């Protein structure tokens, strides 16, 4: 585990949460990743999820929020999206580990007789497998791995992860490994005091597992006084420079700066003896400048089925915001429940004041008719619309129903017996599904190339012919209907390189009516907005201008 051949040791930082969940461990880890990168340290990140699901791919968005897909096709936790957006480096499936994966591996080995008759136990067999994965990204090209452990200190299910982290630290050496606890400092109104006791208790719990934090990031609603930080340092036995205050920020992309001003990167670099240069913000400086200089605004509607659950479309939201940063406007989101989009009048009133809409990805037939009606309204009113994955499928169904007159056109996902399956299971997926009794990992997943058609909106936005995007779907445009759709004016503006799969569709004569079978939101970066989202926001700005002139 220690000896990477050249003598180079990839160091490891574990980020652990105390007191409550949802403290922003993911943003803290990502921000630290960005800071270290900006100082010339080669960083990779990783998320360990203690749940027993093998991956979040089969989990309900209510439970889990968005499923983030990596280039190599892993279905992962939404924190991977934060990591990639902050770090700007694509991560692999090694960056996402769950208890389900660990146990599947250990039980598989046990069944195959690989433990040679030993009694298989949490320690050492499960912890060994966890350690192997914690170190799987180590190598000559990596200086540090930042590993975030999901859940909260004291959770029964994360105990094996804590023990494995402790052992990794012992094996690679204390000097090469550190622990950062992210903790809550609540403010009590009546006594007008910040309270450090929950943090002290979280650190006590952590010590019980044999782990002493090197640094504590204190999350609070308001900035903390120096005296509070002094107290945490004294009571928790942490160096004063290791106590970092991180109050709520207006914008998550400002958190790296906040942590830098508190000295987190310098503390970590010193503690781990990393070679680093002075901070060079680079592209992040432009981003922060853009965020503080937004002029004007547009509102983009996300017409979906999880409107009370923004995390279900997290990367879509971040992509819209990023496109706004690119155009120097505040791009706000309006959540519209597709189920409420029952007729034109209702749709017009739900979208009043918006200048663009997105039909995001999704599964199952609930709310699909509302999405289709909304797209018809958008197409007929030249209202900017971007369809993502399911959104492309709805665009095709709508066009087939309304323009080709195929009233029962549908996807076999929603209506297996439709006479006009304009969207159907992909041939290659049929084999995958048939050969697999499980639901997990039976989709077309990860990065695939596509070729864009010259003269289309998609082509002009990307500014190139050959592109790649990430995918997560089972169904596709049925090629039997492609010619009819194209003849009737729906342009298939991009396909797989062999021409078989429709990857993009658009009505080129509209201001912006574009869709893709892929998930472009996975590749948008806050400082490098994705061309499709940028195109939507540009169209929205134009639409707003025209609307206000009228
Ligand atoms: N349910 C559709 C499919 O599986 C769309 C998937 C998605 O939007 N991610 O093809």
């Amino acid at each position: 585990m220690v000896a990477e051949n050249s003598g180079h040791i990839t160091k490891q930082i574990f980020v652990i949460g105390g007191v409550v969940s949802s403290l922003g461990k993911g943003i803290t880890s990502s921000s630290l990743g960005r800071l270290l990168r900006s100082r010339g340290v080669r960083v990779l990140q990783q998320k360990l999820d203690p749940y027993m699901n093998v991956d979040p791919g089969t989990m309900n968005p209510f439970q889990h929020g968005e499923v983030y897909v990596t280039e190599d096709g892993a279905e992962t936790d939404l924190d991977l999206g934060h990591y990639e957006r902050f770090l700007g480096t694509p991560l692999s499936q090694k960056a996402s580990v769950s208890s389900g994966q660990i146990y599947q591996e250990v039980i598989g080995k046990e069944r195959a007789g690989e433990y040679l008759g030993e009694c298989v136990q949490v320690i050492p067999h499960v912890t060994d497998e966890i350690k192997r994965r914690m170190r799987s990204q180590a190598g000559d090209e990596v200086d540090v791995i930042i590993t975030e452990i999901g859940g909260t200190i004291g959770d029964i299910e994360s105990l094996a992860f804590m023990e494995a982290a402790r052992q990794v630290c012992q094996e690679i050496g204390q000097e090469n490994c550190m622990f950062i606890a992210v903790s809550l400092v609540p403010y009590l109104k009546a006594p007008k005091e910040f309270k450090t006791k929950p943090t002290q208790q979280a650190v006590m719990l952590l010590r019980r597992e044999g782990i002493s934090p090197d640094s504590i990031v204190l999350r609070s609603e308001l900035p903390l006084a120096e005296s509070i930080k002094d107290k945490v340092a004294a009571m928790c036995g942490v160096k004063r420079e290791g106590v970092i205050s991180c109050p709520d920020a207006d914008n998550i992309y400002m958190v790296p700066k906040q942590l830098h001003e508190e000295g987190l990167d310098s503390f970590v670099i010193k503690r781990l003896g990393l070679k680093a240069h002075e901070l060079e913000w680079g592209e992040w400086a432009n981003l922060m400048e853009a965020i503080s200089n937004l002029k004007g605004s547009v509102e983009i509607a996300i017409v979906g089925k999880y409107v009370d659950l923004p995390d279900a479309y997290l990367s879509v939201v971040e992509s819209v915001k990023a496109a706004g940063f690119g155009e120097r406007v505040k791009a706000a989101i309006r959540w519209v429940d597709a189920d409420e989009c029952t007729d034109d009048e209702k749709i017009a009133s739900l979208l009043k004041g918006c200048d663009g809409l997105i039909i995001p990805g999704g599964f199952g037939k609930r709310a699909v008719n509302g999405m289709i009606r909304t797209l018809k309204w958008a197409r007929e009113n030249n209202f900017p619309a971007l369809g993502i994955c399911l959104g492309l499928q709805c665009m095709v169904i709508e066009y087939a129903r309304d323009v080709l007159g195929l009233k029962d056109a549908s996807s076999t996902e929603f209506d297996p017996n439709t006479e006009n399956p304009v969207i159907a299971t992909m041939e290659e997926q049929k084999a995958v599904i048939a050969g697999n009794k499980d639901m997990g990992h039976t989709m077309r997943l990860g990065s695939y190339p596509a070729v864009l058609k010259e003269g289309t909106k998609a082509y002009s936005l990307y500014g190139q012919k050959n592109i790649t995007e990430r995918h997560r779907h089972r169904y596709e445009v049925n090629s039997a209907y492609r010619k009819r759709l194209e003849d009737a004016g729906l342009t298939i503006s991009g396909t797989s390189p062999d021409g078989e799969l429709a990857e993009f569709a658009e009505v080129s004569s509209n201001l912006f009516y574009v869709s893709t079978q892929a998930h472009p939101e996975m590749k948008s970066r806050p400082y490098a907005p994705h061309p499709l989202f940028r195109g939507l926001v540009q169209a929205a700005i134009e639409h707003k201008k025209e609307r206000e002139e009228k």
Side-chain angles (χ1 to χ4, degrees), residues 390-458:
L390 174 68
L392 172 135
Q393 300 176 356
C394 288
M395 249 187 210
V396 169
I397 296 170
E398 189 282 312
Y399 213 79
R401 286 186 188 173
D402 196 61
V403 182
L404 296 186
L406 306 173
K407 293 289 170 237
D408 73 336
S410 192
S411 162
T412 50
E413 180 180 10
F414 318 133
D415 182 1
N417 302 317
T418 173
E419 293 278 310
N420 285 298
V422 291
I423 307 293
T425 320
M426 287 175 276
E427 281 308 319
E428 60 183 84
Q429 272 344 93
K430 276 187 192 157
V432 178
I433 295 164
N436 203 327
K437 64 180 182 359
D438 303 325
M439 277 299 272
H441 223 267
T442 56
M443 284 186 264
R444 180 171 180 246
L445 288 164
S447 180
Y448 285 92
V451 180
L452 301 177
K453 190 169 165 181
E454 278 171 53
T456 61
K457 201 141 257 171

Side-chain angles (χ1 to χ4, degrees), residues 34 37 82-90 283 525 527:
R34 168 50 66 168
R37 208 197 121 170
H82 288 311
Y83 302 164
E84 285 200 355
R85 282 188 286 273
F86 278 71
L87 206 56
T89 309
E283 60 210 1
R525 302 289 171 253
Y527 48 83

Side-chain angles (χ1 to χ4, degrees), residues 193-206:
E193 270 174 3
F194 284 103
K195 291 293 180 190
T196 63
K197 191 62 64 74
T199 297
Q200 295 176 42
Q201 284 170 342
V203 170
M204 271 163 59
L205 279 178
L206 195 56

Side-chain angles (χ1 to χ4, degrees), residues 92-103:
S92 77
Q93 50 188 311
K94 290 181 183 166
S96 175
V97 177
S98 69
S99 292
Q101 284 170 24
I102 302 287
Y103 278 82

